[in-house]
């Protein structure tokens, strides 16, 4: 069975064998020492080609036809492990294979695949693209599985809210569950109050598209119990504490946590990992209407803790609070939540390096190792309890927006920690979900973060 696709697209890979054109991936040393194909070497030297990082030189045949290409890796290829992603956007359309490369087969193939991503759903014209043959010693099925998870996350984030509101996100969630024969349920609108999800209802009630809680179960009882929770704010106006226009431009990505959790779930299910998987996604649109929640309001959460609303733009932690409390009632072996939660995380680490928070040092070490092994960057941040006082408030148990603006990503994580008390191992990821500029393995836009590392960790832990 092929991996799930939300937006169907042609594979970036081919299987034509000898009918493909060669790519010689080289370093400057290869040119200097002459350790490549002699025809390619002669052409490179005549053209003054230096094999600089990401450079491409097309090679003609004696008859003047396209015969192949040289691709520069620079002097230290390990600095950009997915540099081959540039080939997917710079090669002429056609079928290609890597003839020589000082890279692992999995790395060069995954890099090409990641770089092949295009979000052209709204484009009238779609350009033809090159394809690459996956080397025989690569794990083709796993490469395609990881790409499917990454592309699902990117597609969901890139799709504008007029086509990816709560109802549409539910539809994709349902299609994912059907594809992998998972059980799926949903609680919508005022039923959230009946089922005791008051904060999810509070944040989403002002939208014409009703708030909801999505849940999926897959796998077998007795296997390691893993629960994934993702923030699904399909658009965030900021509520009555309205954002300025410039800050709303990217708010279609505020469901990036949900998108990444769904991408990770796809990988887990497609690989048939021996886990008992549960996926929970609270889905809302933080809109403005006569019934919008207000600054100064106090609400009781599912867990019973009361929360004072000191900023309606700190809504993500509210819906996560109910979802985490619900997940925690089952006390899974591992709970992972992902959310585009704070700007403070981006100030601290920038857009490409998502922080994670956990009290489980063994888990933190394993995730750091998985990050290095997959070249999927992560960085542990402290759950420093000295700041817990900042989320306390006079008239309620806790506030959703501590005053002062200091350590914002830590206080947000501490807020969430209040709702996870039974689960032995919990980790929170504060992701950006967006690549501001083009990189070799990404054209920019919606981005999958941490899910390749998490998939690798989970896969290793259940073998």
């Amino acid at each position: 069975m092929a991996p799930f696709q939300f937006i169907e697209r042609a594979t970036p890979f081919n299987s034509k064998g000898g009918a493909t054109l060669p790519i010689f991936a080289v370093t400057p040393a290869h040119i200097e020492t002459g350790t490549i194909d002699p025809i390619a070497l002669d052409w490179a030297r005549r053209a003054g080609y230096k094999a600089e990082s990401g450079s491409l030189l097309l090679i003609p045949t004696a008859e003047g036809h396209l015969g192949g290409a040289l691709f520069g890796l620079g002097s230290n290829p390990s600095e950009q492990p997915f540099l081959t992603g540039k080939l997917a956007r710079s090669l002429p359309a056609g079928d290609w294979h890597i003839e020589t490369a000082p890279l692992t087969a999995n790395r060069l193939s995954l890099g090409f695949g990641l770089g092949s991503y295009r979000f052209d759903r709204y484009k009238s014209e779609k350009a033809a693209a090159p394809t690459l043959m996956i080397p025989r010693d690569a794990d083709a099925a796993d490469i395609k599985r990881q790409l499917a998870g990454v592309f699902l996350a990117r597609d969901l984030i890139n799709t504008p809210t007029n086509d990816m509101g709560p109802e549409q996100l539910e539809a994709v969630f349902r299609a994912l569950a059907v594809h992998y024969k998972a059980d799926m349920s949903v609680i919508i609108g005022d039923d959230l109050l009946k089922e005791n999800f008051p904060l999810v209802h509070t944040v989403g009630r002002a939208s014409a598209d009703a708030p909801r809680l999505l849940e999926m179960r897959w796998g077998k009882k007795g296997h390691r119990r893993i629960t994934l929770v993702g923030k699904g704010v399909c658009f965030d106006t900021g509520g009555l504490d309205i954002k300025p226009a410039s800050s709303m431009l990217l708010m279609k990505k505020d469901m990036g946590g949900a998108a990444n959790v769904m991408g990770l779930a796809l990988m887990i299910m497609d690989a048939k990992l021996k886990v008992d998987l549960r996926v929970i996604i609270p889905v809302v649109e933080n809109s403005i209407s006569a019934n919008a929640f207000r600054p100064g309001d106090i609400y009781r959460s599912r867990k019973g803790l009361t929360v004072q609303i000191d900023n309606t733009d700190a809504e993500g932690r509210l819906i996560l609070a109910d979802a985490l409390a619900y997940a925690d009632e089952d006390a899974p072996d591992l709970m992972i939540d992902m959310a585009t939660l704070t700007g403070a995380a981006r100030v601290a680490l920038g857009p490409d390096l998502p922080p994670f928070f956990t009290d489980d040092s063994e888990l933190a070490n394993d995730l750091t190792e998985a990050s290095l092994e997959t070249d999927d960057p992560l960085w542990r941040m402290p759950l420093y309890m000295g700041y817990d006082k900042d989320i306390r408030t006079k008239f309620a148990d806790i506030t959703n927006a501590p005053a002062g603006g200091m350590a914002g990503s830590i206080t947000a994580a501490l807020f969430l920690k209040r709702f996870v008390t039974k689960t032995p191992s919990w980790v929170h990821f504060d992701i950006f979900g967006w690549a501001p500029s083009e990189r070799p393995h990404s054209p920019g836009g919606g981005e999958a973060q941490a899910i390749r590392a998490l998939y690798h960790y989970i896969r290793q832990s259940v073998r």
Side-chain angles (χ1 to χ4, degrees):
M1 180 175 66
F4 174 79
Q5 289 191 86
F6 163 52
I7 296 176
E8 292 190 9
R9 48 172 57 86
T11 177
F13 303 115
N14 67 69
S15 56
K16 294 191 175 182
T20 58
L21 293 171
I23 303 166
F24 302 93
V26 296
T27 66
H30 288 102
I31 305 295
E32 294 168 7
T33 59
T35 52
I36 58 170
D37 177 83
I39 295 176
L41 177 64
D42 178 65
W43 184 254
R45 286 178 170 169
R46 289 174 182 272
Y49 183 68
K50 303 297 183 184
E52 295 173 341
S53 179
S55 60
L56 181 71
L57 179 67
L58 299 179
I59 305 170
T61 65
E63 294 78 23
H65 303 300
L66 180 60
L70 282 164
F71 181 64
L73 300 175
S75 57
N76 190 358
S78 64
E79 290 181 349
Q80 297 192 71
F82 298 125
L83 186 62
T84 50
K86 294 192 73 171
L87 285 168
R89 300 194 297 277
S90 58
L91 282 172
D95 301 315
W96 298 80
H97 72 273
I98 299 284
E99 186 75 20
T100 59
L103 300 168
T104 66
N106 283 335
R107 276 291 190 279
L108 68 87
S109 301
L110 183 59
F112 183 91
L114 290 169
S116 74
Y117 176 83
R118 291 177 171 84
F119 186 74
D120 54 10
R121 177 179 177 182
Y122 299 93
K123 291 283 190 179
S124 301
E125 297 182 5
K126 296 175 173 57
T131 64
L132 184 74
M133 184 171 65
I134 299 178
R136 291 184 179 180
D137 56 339
D139 188 342
D142 198 56
I143 289 167
K144 292 175 181 178
R145 175 180 304 127
Q146 291 186 60
L147 289 179
V150 169
F151 286 9
L152 175 60
R154 289 176 176 179
D155 284 343
L156 291 174
I157 295 170
N158 282 326
T159 302
T161 309
N162 58 302
D163 285 329
M164 193 49 64
E167 183 177 350
Q168 292 96 334
L169 185 57
E170 178 195 333
V172 182
F173 189 86
R174 189 178 299 277
L176 179 65
V178 169
H179 187 87
Y180 292 107
K181 297 180 173 59
D183 295 326
M184 186 266 185
S185 61
V186 58
I187 304 169
I188 303 177
D190 290 344
D191 285 345
L192 289 165
L193 295 175
K194 296 176 185 177
E195 298 296 332
N196 194 22
F197 295 97
L199 295 182
V200 179
H201 182 272
T202 292
V203 174
R205 70 192 185 199
S207 173
D209 200 343
R212 59 204 69 203
L213 186 96
L214 312 179
E215 183 172 1
M216 183 191 304
R217 289 180 178 269
W218 177 91
K220 293 183 179 180
K221 301 295 182 183
H223 289 161
R224 189 182 187 197
R225 294 185 304 134
I226 296 176
T227 298
L228 310 179
V229 180
K231 172 188 168 184
V233 178
C234 292
F235 193 84
D236 182 18
T237 64
L240 293 178
D241 288 310
I242 191 169
K243 295 176 182 288
S246 59
S247 297
M248 278 197 227
L249 290 175
L250 287 183
M251 281 303 100
K252 67 176 183 178
K253 79 170 186 67
D254 212 19
M255 38 67 70
N260 274 272
V261 158
M262 290 169 66
L264 175 57
L266 183 157
M267 296 182 197
I268 291 170
M269 294 187 292
D270 196 80
K272 299 180 173 63
L273 298 188
K274 294 180 180 180
V275 300
D276 182 358
L277 180 68
R278 189 182 184 199
V279 184
I280 300 170
I281 299 179
V283 183
V284 301
E285 184 175 349
N286 188 16
S287 299
I288 299 173
S289 185
N291 66 337
F293 70 121
R294 297 163 290 252
D297 284 354
I298 296 176
Y299 297 95
R300 189 171 299 277
S301 68
R302 179 183 183 87
K303 195 170 183 67
L305 293 172
T306 56
V307 183
Q308 179 171 304
I309 308 303
D310 285 321
N311 193 315
T312 62
D313 196 18
E315 83 299 330
R317 67 199 70 186
L318 298 175
I319 66 171
L320 284 173
D322 275 355
L324 290 172
Y326 177 50
D328 189 58
E329 290 163 11
D330 194 41
D333 300 316
L334 171 65
M335 189 194 304
I336 300 166
D337 84 71
M338 307 188 79
T340 51
L341 203 61
T342 70
R346 251 52 62 205
V347 172
L349 299 179
D352 300 341
L353 184 58
F356 69 93
F357 300 80
T358 182
D359 282 331
D360 187 336
S361 292
E362 183 179 354
L363 173 63
N365 291 337
D366 288 344
L367 290 177
T368 298
E369 185 175 339
S371 168
L372 295 172
E373 290 175 353
T374 57
D375 292 297
D376 196 7
L378 307 172
W379 196 264
R380 186 185 186 185
M381 293 276 273
L383 276 167
Y384 176 59
M385 291 305 297
Y387 294 150
D388 186 71
K389 66 182 187 305
D390 295 335
I391 64 173
R392 302 171 197 164
T393 188
K394 183 177 180 180
F395 298 111
D397 294 324
I398 49 178
T399 172
N400 77 323
M406 305 288 276
S409 63
I410 298 175
T411 55
L414 290 171
F415 179 97
L416 298 181
K417 179 179 167 64
R418 292 290 191 102
F419 298 89
V420 183
T421 56
K422 299 177 182 178
T423 301
S425 188
W426 163 69
V427 58
H428 158 62
F429 287 85
D430 192 339
I431 66 172
F432 190 47
W434 192 264
S437 58
E438 179 178 303
R439 296 170 294 175
H441 59 287
S442 168
E447 189 57 287
Q449 293 186 305
I451 61 174
R452 289 189 299 103
L454 283 166
Y455 166 66
H456 180 76
Y457 160 71
I458 294 169
R459 190 181 186 188
Q460 295 294 110
S461 72
V462 298
R463 279 183 171 175

